Amino acid sequence: MAPDVDGDGNGLPSRWATMRAGLTTRLLLATGVLVFVVAAAYVALGVALTDLSRARAGATHSVQEVNVARDVRRLLIDMETGQRGFIITGEPSFLEPWEIGRRTLPERVATLRNIVDDPQQAKRAEQLETDSLAYIRDYSVPLVDAARRGEGWVRGIPASEDGKRRIDSLRRQLDGYVTTELALSAAEQADADNDYRRATFIAAGGLAASVLMTVVISIYLTTRVVRPVRRTAMTAERIAAGKLDARVPETSKAEVGVLERAFNSMAESLQHHVGELARLSDEHAALRRVATLVARGRPSDEVFAAVAQEVGLVLGAEITRILRFEADGTATVTATWLRAGERVPTGTRIPITNTVAGPVRETGKPARITEESPPELPGSAYSAVGAPIMVGGSVWGAMTALSRADRPLPDVAAARIAEFTDLVGTAVANAQARADLVASRARIVAASDEARRRIERNLHDGAQQRLVALGLQIRLAEASVPPEQPPLRKQLGDIVSGLNGVSADLQEISRGIHPAILSQGGLGPALRILARRSAVPVDLDLGVDRRLPDSVEVGAYYVVSEALTNAAKHARASVVKVGVEAEGADLHLSIRDDGIGGADAAKGSGLIGLTDRVEALGGTMAMSSPPGSGTSLLVKIPLEVQ
């Protein structure tokens, strides 16, 4: 449909030309006036408030200066009273306020000089500081020192009159300073009151003007915008209630008219796409549920069952299957979903020659055929769609969906299935990766244990035996040394003692590499010896009286050994409780200490290595170590290691 052209014939749509001279222009003009009025009011208000703040700050500062000046006067009076009382009575207690004033007065007059802001007051403050310090330095301190020495002139009239003259002068200076500062404070307060009244008047005027402009604009918007928009909103509510054929009448050619026409166009589009949006929402929700299972590492059979059900519900199919292709040309049913009827059991081998899975396997691409009914469905022709499941770049299997031929699956069915088969492939790859990782870790642990066992045997049967034989030979040589050569006999004895120490050290090293008692007597005797050698007392509760698989015994031994070592080094524990029990198909270990807790596997405590060893055996290890409450390890190792 061609756009309308304005009267000038310039080819522009007439509705946009009308809009430029319509509601937008009026609103922009009114808004500009309102913004100008409000901005002017705010600027004037800001200036007034700045003056008000400055005036109040000046008044507050004047009060502070008056308070400091009064402190200076009080200190001078206290000094005068204290020194006079001491001179008259000779009691040292009268000098306590004098001492306080002598120490404090210089700081207070300096403070007064620093905070004064009026030039004339600044001169008075400087003179006051000079006279106050001179009073202390030239009169008060010499007078008190003379009184302490008992000199009689301090009680004479000249000394008293000199002090009175000095203190009266300081009082007059302080009274004049305070009086002047109070007058300045009153003036500042008066300015603050004037600024407050001016700010109030400006704010009231600006508010009244903005309210008036707002009322005018509101009336205009109500008639030209609000009513049409409200009518449009009511129509939107009808559409939201399910009446997708509702439309709003077009009453204007300006912006509101454009809105009404756009709304009607949107309603038509919404009516057209609402079904598609609902379908996509359901499909995405199904994908999220399946993706959550994959991300959590749930078992493959659980993921397969969920995918089969979700695809069946999304496509409205009669039956869905997940098939794993076998080398003999058949397929194994790993999951199935059926709207009604008996399902083919999981694990069943089925032929795929005449099914949609056949071309999927041959081409590695989605396929669609008309298929005869499977045994689970009533006899009829079915629309069948299948998509490959790729794992590691190869076709692992397929997912198929069937629906009655009279209501075939949509053309996009294959693409929808492919979104789910990607998740299935990820789940299969994850499961294979986990299995490969567990097997690899188990092989590494087994090889490490075998290497430890071999090194221990070599040390015991080789180097250690040679050290013993060498010690015996030296003993024989020692016995044959003539009695007249005792130094040589002593040297040979020292060599034998050193060889015995080396042999003991080597024996201890071999036990750490792989304790022989573990291979000979099993887990129980090995743990008893480990408990006796522990630096921390061990309360051992041993519930195992039989031999276990070598890998299980070695793993359990090193878990307990590392836990006892950590308790001795870091836990500050007084006792460690170790429990060992073979229950059902698992070996359970519990190691608890009463130490300080706060163990962290990330800080190199050896717990990461123990976790790897336990998990390589298919077991689990949980640690709890709250600060101040000790450390607890709970380990479960399957007795039948895969």
Side-chain angles (χ1 to χ4, degrees), residues 234-240 242-248 263-264 267-268 271:
M234 294 175 63
T235 306
E237 291 179 356
R238 294 174 60 194
I239 293 176
K243 298 180 180 179
L244 300 180
D245 57 345
R247 300 292 182 269
V248 63
F263 179 85
N264 290 335
E268 294 175 0
Q271 184 177 11

Side-chain angles (χ1 to χ4, degrees), residues 54-67 185 188-189:
R54 183 170 56 253
R56 286 183 174 176
T60 302
H61 190 79
S62 296
V63 172
Q64 182 182 5
E65 293 183 32
V66 169
N67 290 336
S185 176
E188 292 284 355
Q189 188 62 45

